[in-house]
Amino acid sequence: MRHSCTLTALLMAGSPCLAQSGIDVYGIIDVGVRGTSDLGANNAPALPGHSTAVSSGVDQTSRWGAKGKETLGGGWAALLRLEGGINADTGASAKSDRLFDRLAWVGLESPYGTLAAGRQTNLLSDALIPVDPLGKRYASFNPNINVAGLSNTAFGTHALGRQYGPSGYADNFYRLDNTVKYTANAGPWQARAAWSFGEAPGDASASSSHGAALAYQRPDWVVSGATMQFRSREDLPLNAWTLGAAVRIAGWDFKANAARNKANTGADKTLRQRVLSAGVSREARPGLLVTTAWYSVRRETTGFSGDGFNRGFLFLENTLAPRTTAYAEADYTVWRGDAAGLTASRPNGRHGSGLTLGLMHKF
């Protein structure tokens, strides 16, 4: 639906409203009641016990935003995108320091591809879109988003504890500031390249990132991968790659992905992480989608014992209307090594489980 006047009122109060601007305001509100066992706030390992909470974004991350396109002629168009996360359980912004923490970019679309500049997702995230077994559901708990896509590397003794690339946050490099991204399509091929400027005085490499992604897509299958390098303010490198495939056979959708990353965290110190994932989904009946997924995460850090976890998911999504979905979600995690950690010198539970009943509405 068109909301050019609404966007103008939000962003430029008092300015003229141009009907030809082609602006859409959109969003997702996703709220569920979640019960957990041996999992604490943000699904971290916890002492044995049960808890219940209202959670936001279990199926799809709650968000709001605006996107625009204006035709310039000759196959050219100007584009814009602004998007911010919402904690729908409290009404607060997902990031208190940014209104549009998810996306903020402007670009040009042409017969030769699309060039965009601003805050954007990294290429690992882009490559995971068609091949993540969960379809990027439950972003805050999905290992492909957290570990393969580098949105949350703050896991106990294996936390990176610093910023790589211009993300604006330590241990989260899923979205990057100051990024120029080029996307080109040629038949079944899609190629992407990106450079993020670190903007560190006197050092063009520090806090920067760069990479490339390539996907080949046919009607019933796709292969998608990406490789990137991120650098810290101290010019330490973090190298990452991801590669996956998806195939549709007789109504069944199969997806699998492998990802690895390695970070230099100091003199003769490294952190290595790998994620393997696989899953299947199928429409059990019209309007009812069943999705299962399994993830295996392993981590190794200089000076610490290796650890990790295995995590499984089950999603049932019932489409009530074109923009409204009711869902049930179940997950089970088995911690390996010292990943479960301690709370007040007491060992946390070795297994964690959760069950969510929720409702998602898109506008």
Side-chain angles (χ1 to χ4, degrees):
M1 55 193 282
R2 299 288 184 184
H3 290 282
S4 57
C5 296
T6 302
L7 180 72
T8 302
L10 287 170
L11 302 182
M12 296 181 292
S15 298
C17 181
L18 303 179
Q20 69 270 24
S21 61
I23 300 288
D24 292 332
V25 175
Y26 66 91
I28 298 174
I29 301 298
D30 180 325
V31 178
V33 177
R34 178 167 170 80
T36 59
S37 176
D38 300 0
L39 292 175
N42 300 319
N43 291 314
L47 295 172
H50 303 278
S51 63
T52 305
V54 175
S55 297
S56 173
V58 171
D59 194 315
Q60 299 292 324
T61 302
S62 297
R63 70 196 75 168
W64 76 285
K67 57 184 177 181
K69 180 175 182 177
E70 185 170 24
T71 301
L72 304 177
W76 290 72
L79 309 173
L80 71 84
R81 191 76 175 263
L82 299 169
E83 187 173 289
I86 302 169
N87 293 327
D89 53 328
T90 65
S93 296
K95 300 288 186 185
S96 60
D97 60 333
R98 299 176 189 237
L99 178 61
F100 298 113
D101 63 295
R102 294 173 60 85
L103 296 169
W105 57 262
V106 65
L108 279 175
E109 181 184 85
S110 77
Y112 315 103
T114 300
L115 184 67
R119 181 169 174 82
Q120 303 178 67
T121 52
N122 68 38
L123 295 179
L124 305 170
S125 167
D126 296 341
L128 284 166
I129 289 173
V131 296
D132 174 46
L134 274 185
K136 302 185 83 171
R137 292 174 179 83
Y138 210 164
S140 63
F141 205 41
N142 183 328
N144 267 345
I145 295 177
N146 285 286
V147 184
L150 299 171
S151 76
N152 181 9
T153 63
F155 292 116
T157 56
H158 296 264
L160 287 169
R162 70 178 75 233
Q163 178 181 317
Y164 288 81
S167 68
Y169 305 103
D171 289 301
N172 184 341
F173 330 121
Y174 192 77
R175 296 178 177 86
L176 302 170
D177 298 340
N178 316 323
T179 296
V180 176
K181 183 187 293 186
Y182 177 71
T183 304
N185 294 282
W189 293 96
Q190 182 181 71
R192 290 186 175 97
W195 178 276
S196 301
F197 295 86
E199 300 185 357
D203 190 341
S205 176
S207 296
S208 69
S209 74
H210 63 275
L214 187 65
Y216 186 85
Q217 185 164 353
R218 305 301 296 176
D220 292 323
W221 59 276
V222 60
V223 177
S224 178
T227 180
M228 290 195 70
Q229 182 180 88
F230 307 75
R231 302 195 74 88
S232 72
R233 183 166 294 276
E234 302 82 11
D235 225 0
L236 298 171
L238 185 163
N239 296 295
W241 62 262
T242 180
L243 180 63
V247 61
R248 184 174 181 84
I249 302 174
W252 295 83
D253 290 306
F254 300 91
K255 298 180 180 181
N257 195 79
R260 288 184 180 272
N261 53 68
K262 175 185 175 183
N264 287 11
T265 57
D268 300 319
K269 294 183 178 180
T270 61
L271 165 65
R272 292 180 174 87
Q273 302 183 110
R274 72 107 170 110
V275 186
L276 301 178
S277 58
V280 61
S281 63
R282 180 179 174 84
E283 197 170 47
R285 59 171 174 76
L288 179 61
L289 181 65
V290 181
T291 302
T292 63
W294 170 86
Y295 296 83
S296 172
V297 177
R298 299 292 181 269
R299 307 176 301 176
E300 296 179 357
T301 302
T302 303
F304 297 98
S305 300
D307 70 8
F309 56 90
N310 296 330
R311 180 170 295 152
F313 291 91
L314 170 65
F315 266 89
L316 303 176
E317 295 167 293
N318 186 27
T319 301
L320 304 179
R323 294 181 297 172
T324 304
T325 300
Y327 65 87
E329 176 273 344
D331 56 81
Y332 188 74
T333 301
V334 180
W335 307 104
R336 297 177 59 91
D338 297 327
L342 305 173
T343 298
S345 300
R346 296 172 56 195
N348 292 320
R350 302 294 301 174
H351 307 84
S353 59
L355 177 64
T356 311
L357 298 177
L359 185 68
M360 175 176 63
H361 179 78
K362 300 179 180 180
F363 62 89

